[in-house]
Amino acid sequence: MLPDSPDFSPVAPIDTVDDLFALLERCAGAWDTADRTGDPVDILDHDRQCAQLLRRDHPDDEELQVAGLLHDIGHVLVPGDDAGHGRHAAEAVRGLLGTRVARLVELHVVAKRFLAATDSNHASALSASSRRTLIAQGGPMTPTEVEAFRADPDFTAALALRRADDAGKVIGLRVAPLRDWRPVVDRVAAR
């Protein structure tokens, strides 16, 4: 793919779980926006909150939980690319964690567009930062896009990830430390 192609990702694949955890550790103290006007917690805290919510609500879906744990690493991989952060993260982890995890990571942005188009309560509850990034991400879906997304086999899981993404922004919430996620990520990577 050419660098000016919308599908081009400048991100190298993450080849080992050790490398993935090193990247996740770099997410501590990193923010989704350079000026910290986005989420009220750093990326690692946000991703751990998201994963914990998914563990609670979907205890049998470890791929979904892992997608929640790393869905925003694209903000660290390519800082400032709000529209592409899901795609960059997906491309980075696809070889290590598989197609479904990568798709769910990428679909968390798509699901935001879907909910903005179909759920007025969700749309009105978006933070100012989320409303701003929604525009960069393509805005609310068209009716045709809505129907196509509803037919996606990962539709339900993508919505679950999006809802956890929206809920996982609580300052000071106590969640499992990153090291507790290592066995889950190892199992997913081994599949």
Side-chain angles (χ1 to χ4, degrees), residues 2 22 39 41 43 49 51 71 74 120 141-142 147 151 153 155 160 164:
L2 299 174
D39 291 344
V41 294
I43 293 170
Q49 287 183 37
H71 73 282
S120 59
M141 285 184 170
T142 66
E147 290 312 309
F155 171 75

Side-chain angles (χ1 to χ4, degrees), residues 131-187:
R131 285 191 301 274
R132 178 183 49 77
T133 59
L134 175 64
I135 300 306
Q137 294 161 346
M141 285 184 170
T142 66
T144 302
E145 290 172 320
V146 165
E147 290 312 309
F149 185 51
R150 280 194 172 121
D152 190 292
D154 288 315
F155 171 75
T156 302
L159 286 185
L161 175 52
R162 181 73 234 173
R163 292 191 189 285
D165 184 9
D166 291 333
K169 301 174 183 184
V170 180
I171 297 170
L173 183 68
R174 293 169 86 54
V175 294
L178 181 59
R179 69 179 172 272
D180 286 5
W181 286 98
R182 181 65 189 246
V184 179
V185 175
D186 283 335
R187 283 193 297 274

